[in-house]
Amino acid sequence: MGCSLAYHLAVRGRKPLLLERGRLGGGSTGRCAGGVRQQFSTAINIRLGQRAIELLQQFEATTGTDPQYQPIGYLLLATASAQAEALARDVALQRHLQVPVEVLGAAEVSHLVPGLLTEDVISASLCASDGLAGPNEVTTGYAGAARRHGAKVEEGIDVTGIDLNGERVVGVRTNRGPVSTPEVVICAGPQSRQVGAMASIKVPVDPLKRHVLLIEPFAGQPIRSPMTIDLATGFYFHPEGDGLLMGMGDPAQPIGEDFTVDWDFLPKVVEEGSRRLPALGQAALRTVWAGLYEMTPDRQPLVGMAPDRLGVWLACGFSGHGFMMAPPVGESLAAVICGKSPQVDLGPLSPLRFASGILAPESVFI
């Protein structure tokens, strides 16, 4: 998110300074599954997904880096009546906004993903232009292009404080000295609450651990399947190299900044995976890691001016969608900061929405 924003500010003539406490992509970005989709339940997220695909298609021409965008498709499975009804409503909205999404039956799903259990599938939606991109490639592509346009990108610098004059930001403090600035954007992912507290801002973002498993090649593996998601359980998988990448959320997972692998939970992921894709029962685990979602109360991002602080902006709380939303959010927020009209209206994501009570939670959450 920070690299995208730095790039889009720089191409508008600003001279942003990006401060990264570790290395670029060393946090949640480097641990994510790399998905990019347009199949959401809210108009704002659908529009952001559409613009994300467009920007990824233009990415190499604008940054000089191949983003490794692969339109393998996203396949969402509904296995209960309520899910099928919700999926139908979501598809209607997506089609209204010109997303090329199809509705499939169980037989079509079975043909698309050989070996998948489809006996309980009532309906499914498929968008062929959804897919994957490379988190490392997109991050480094934006960072390199930002530098070429005049941005400074500094790694290994801890921000230790934010200085205010009344309600206006005047600078930040770091472990390498102070920086004077009239504007600050907090895009610190799961740590955004702590950074916001430096400016006495309550940023409702909490870290939530999620696991990703990489499976060795196995007999019966669907080689060219889309990103396949069971909406009932949140179990998902997609091809990754010669193997398979899969994951599933733990409903009992407590909030906390914890990257350790929970080995007691992994058998539940494998059990659900083997039920949905029986051939997985004979597969071997190659590696596993944990990353962090940055959760907000309504599973929607916080993008815009922070409450009661002049010159402080938020771009955080993406609740598992940060990588895919980074290109369009960086583009549109940069426009807003520069006093221009954004490509996508970010109003529904305003941090002020909690005070107003006007909420539109995202329901297609993986």
Side-chain angles (χ1 to χ4, degrees), residues 21-278:
R21 70 174 185 174
R23 60 177 180 82
L24 294 177
S28 297
T29 302
R31 298 167 182 264
C32 75
V36 184
R37 63 182 165 103
Q38 302 154 90
Q39 293 183 79
F40 285 98
S41 66
T42 58
I44 176 62
N45 288 346
I46 294 169
R47 292 189 174 100
L48 287 172
Q50 290 174 301
R51 187 58 181 160
I53 298 295
E54 293 171 353
L55 290 173
L56 287 171
Q57 291 170 334
Q58 304 164 11
F59 196 85
E60 188 166 10
T62 56
T63 70
T65 299
D66 181 356
Q68 299 295 305
Y69 165 57
Q70 305 171 57
I72 66 170
Y74 259 63
L75 177 68
L76 309 185
L77 309 177
T79 57
S81 297
Q83 291 167 7
E85 292 169 3
L87 186 142
R89 289 193 298 270
D90 295 343
V91 166
L93 177 59
Q94 292 155 15
R95 287 176 169 172
H96 175 71
L97 295 175
Q98 309 303 312
V99 176
V101 60
E102 304 174 60
V103 176
L104 309 179
E108 295 167 296
V109 170
S110 182
H111 178 74
L112 185 63
V113 188
L116 191 74
L117 174 69
T118 59
E119 295 174 0
D120 58 347
V121 172
I122 299 173
S123 63
S125 64
L126 172 70
C127 180
S129 56
D130 289 348
L132 308 172
N136 179 67
E137 288 80 4
V138 173
T139 301
T140 57
Y142 270 141
R147 288 186 175 108
R148 291 193 295 274
H149 282 86
K152 291 185 178 180
V153 180
E154 303 287 349
E155 297 176 278
I157 296 184
D158 283 322
V159 171
T160 58
I162 296 176
D163 294 325
L164 302 170
N165 182 1
E167 293 185 350
R168 175 169 289 281
V169 66
V170 294
V172 299
R173 281 166 277 141
T174 79
N175 60 339
R176 297 191 188 177
V179 179
S180 296
T181 178
E183 290 183 294
V184 169
V185 185
I186 298 174
C187 42
Q191 292 81 39
S192 293
R193 181 185 288 272
Q194 297 95 302
V195 179
M198 296 177 186
S200 299
I201 301 169
K202 183 179 180 181
V203 180
V205 170
D206 291 305
L208 179 69
K209 180 166 66 176
R210 299 297 290 257
H211 291 85
V212 179
L213 292 76
L214 187 58
I215 307 301
E216 295 280 7
F218 57 95
Q221 175 180 330
I223 303 300
R224 287 178 291 276
S225 70
M227 167 80 91
T228 302
I229 300 164
D230 185 339
L231 293 173
T233 63
F235 172 77
Y236 69 87
F237 67 86
H238 68 71
E240 181 73 17
D242 61 351
L244 200 74
L245 185 147
M246 68 181 191
M248 186 176 74
D250 179 1
Q253 180 66 50
I255 292 295
E257 191 174 341
D258 177 14
F259 284 106
T260 60
V261 173
D262 184 353
W263 295 100
D264 292 334
F265 175 65
L266 298 190
K268 298 178 183 178
V269 182
V270 174
E271 179 182 0
E272 178 56 31
S274 300
R275 185 188 72 84
R276 182 56 63 191
L277 187 64

